[in-house]
Amino acid sequence: PPASPCSIVIPVKMLITAVLLLVSVASADDCPLGHYLAYQSEICTPCPGGTFSNIVNAVACRACPRDQYSSVEGAVQCVSCPKTAYTLSGGSKSQDDCVGPVMEICSQVEFGGDCYKFHDNSLKVDMTVNSLRVIRGEFKVYEDVELMGSSSILKEGFEARNASDISAIGSFSALTNDVFCYMENGKTFRGNFAKAQSGDCINWNTTSLAQFAKPNNLCRNPDPTGARNKPFCYVSETKTETCEDIPACVWEQECYFGLGQDYRGKVSETVGGSTCQNWSSNFPHVHGYDSDDYSWAGIGDHNYCRTPDKGGRPWCYTSSVFTRWDYCDIPICRRNCKVPICSGE
């Protein structure tokens, strides 16, 4: 018998539904890395800046973790900040969000010609330096390559508009000091942060701690009682808050980066088992590091392992008359997790 209209309509609807489903599945299968297929959408969209996707058919993009950034759309992974820098939050879209030392070197005077920004150490400067400026942080510049020869420290805001304003630069190192993070309880922190949890900091000179702090509104720890363990500020004349955006320095962990010059941990024993000699003492070994000239390397009245030279890893003079110096058993830091050993490594 001839088919009824209903018997024709039902299979067609089923066919249309099946075709649409197949098209949807095909579209999802075609959504590559660096893209996502939003809920109830058939459009495959590139991940926006600050995010990434490292799986096929992702339903959402993931924000870049702290200390990483993504400045392009469709990123499969984020880029790590320079080892001397960090970000204040996740989802960063530019290297400019990486907080750390920055120095710009230009091939012509008055910051003209080819200009390059440096964030880390450079053991050999392969260009003619005709102008230079320290945009953020501090750098120690050396006359010769490999961090050798006479040196000087250039602080934030320093500018040399022509070659006559600065001596020859063969190499340099970025100083990871307590400008972008705090060490121990934050007593020596001197960065430019001025915001607490609930708002802007007020000037210390209007508070009860005015006699212990400089007249500015920057996050500090001038508490004479020692009760505070990180930088803080007043948000009103009577209310204080910690400055949560300031992280603890990664180089204060019991691991070291690069040449080890930024290590600020408290290991005081060598790989040979000897106790370290106090840096301010010349017994049992006479040396030349008992000077404020080496404070940039963390040298002081203590016997913690340090690297005031280009030795390549933290070391110390020993308390044994039979061994002048020795390296310390300190692991290399893993940048992204800020501890000696990361999961998955």
Side-chain angles (χ1 to χ4, degrees):
S4 67
C6 289
S7 65
I8 297 174
V9 171
I10 293 175
V12 169
K13 284 186 175 180
M14 292 177 63
L15 179 61
I16 292 174
T17 301
V19 170
L20 289 176
L21 180 60
L22 287 172
V23 170
S24 176
V25 171
S27 298
D29 287 342
D30 288 338
C31 200
L33 304 179
H35 295 67
Y36 73 102
L37 193 65
Y39 179 65
Q40 293 185 336
S41 172
E42 298 177 10
I43 301 175
C44 191
T45 307
C47 292
T51 67
F52 73 103
S53 170
N54 57 0
I55 60 173
V56 176
N57 304 331
V59 296
C61 299
R62 298 164 58 190
C64 291
R66 285 189 65 163
D67 305 329
Q68 298 184 24
Y69 67 94
S70 172
S71 58
V72 298
E73 291 187 347
V76 176
Q77 63 181 11
C78 300
V79 181
S80 293
C81 289
K83 71 178 181 66
T84 54
Y86 63 88
T87 61
L88 297 177
S89 62
S92 295
K93 300 179 181 180
S94 168
Q95 191 181 52
D96 291 338
D97 294 332
C98 298
V99 181
V102 183
M103 179 168 65
E104 185 177 45
I105 293 178
C106 299
S107 62
Q108 295 183 13
V109 300
E110 298 292 336
F111 312 112
D114 296 323
C115 294
Y116 302 93
K117 289 182 179 178
F118 295 88
H119 303 80
D120 295 329
N121 300 348
S122 177
L123 298 181
K124 183 179 181 181
V125 178
D126 289 322
M127 63 177 290
T128 301
V129 181
N130 279 310
S131 54
L132 172 155
R133 56 186 160 196
V134 180
I135 298 172
R136 198 166 54 212
E138 298 174 352
F139 285 79
K140 188 170 187 179
V141 296
Y142 297 81
E143 185 178 20
D144 302 324
V145 299
E146 300 288 336
L147 308 181
M148 298 290 287
S150 59
S151 63
S152 59
I153 294 178
L154 307 182
K155 297 182 179 294
E156 184 172 318
F158 174 85
E159 289 189 351
R161 295 183 171 274
N162 55 68
S164 62
D165 293 337
I166 189 171
S167 12
I169 298 179
S171 56
F172 57 80
S173 62
L175 300 184
T176 43
N177 45 26
D178 50 358
V179 174
F180 310 107
C181 58
Y182 71 92
M183 297 187 289
E184 297 182 347
N185 59 3
K187 282 286 187 182
T188 60
F189 178 73
R190 51 195 176 90
N192 293 322
F193 291 83
K195 186 177 289 292
Q197 292 169 287
S198 65
D200 295 333
C201 302
I202 66 171
N203 199 302
W204 289 98
N205 63 10
T206 64
T207 73
S208 61
L209 294 179
Q211 61 178 313
F212 303 105
K214 292 182 178 181
N216 59 48
N217 68 329
L218 301 176
C219 295
R220 294 290 186 264
N221 185 3
D223 186 355
T225 68
R228 300 278 185 162
N229 60 6
K230 67 179 298 183
F232 68 98
C233 72
Y234 280 84
V235 292
S236 72
E237 292 186 3
T238 57
K239 182 182 179 182
T240 64
E241 290 183 359
T242 57
C243 299
E244 295 295 339
D245 280 342
I246 307 173
C249 292
V250 60
W251 40 88
E252 195 174 32
Q253 302 293 334
E254 296 305 348
C255 57
Y256 71 93
F257 285 114
L259 300 176
Q261 293 177 325
D262 306 319
Y263 173 70
R264 296 295 185 273
K266 296 185 177 180
V267 172
S268 58
E269 186 176 289
T270 70
V271 293
S274 297
T275 300
C276 293
Q277 173 182 314
N278 192 304
W279 291 100
S280 63
S281 171
N282 278 287
F283 180 83
H285 304 289
V286 178
H287 61 89
Y289 291 113
D290 54 339
S291 164
D292 289 341
D293 292 341
Y294 296 97
S295 60
W296 60 269
I299 297 297
D301 187 15
H302 59 74
N303 70 332
Y304 303 136
C305 303
R306 293 292 184 261
T307 313
D309 58 3
K310 62 171 192 137
R313 55 187 285 200
W315 59 275
C316 70
Y317 293 104
T318 80
S319 57
S320 169
V321 294
F322 302 106
T323 304
R324 179 169 172 78
W325 70 275
D326 198 359
Y327 289 117
C328 300
D329 189 13
I330 302 170
I332 297 175
C333 294
R334 300 291 185 263
R335 172 63 180 90
N336 291 337
C337 63
K338 299 183 178 177
V339 294
I341 302 175
C342 299
S343 59
E345 292 192 353

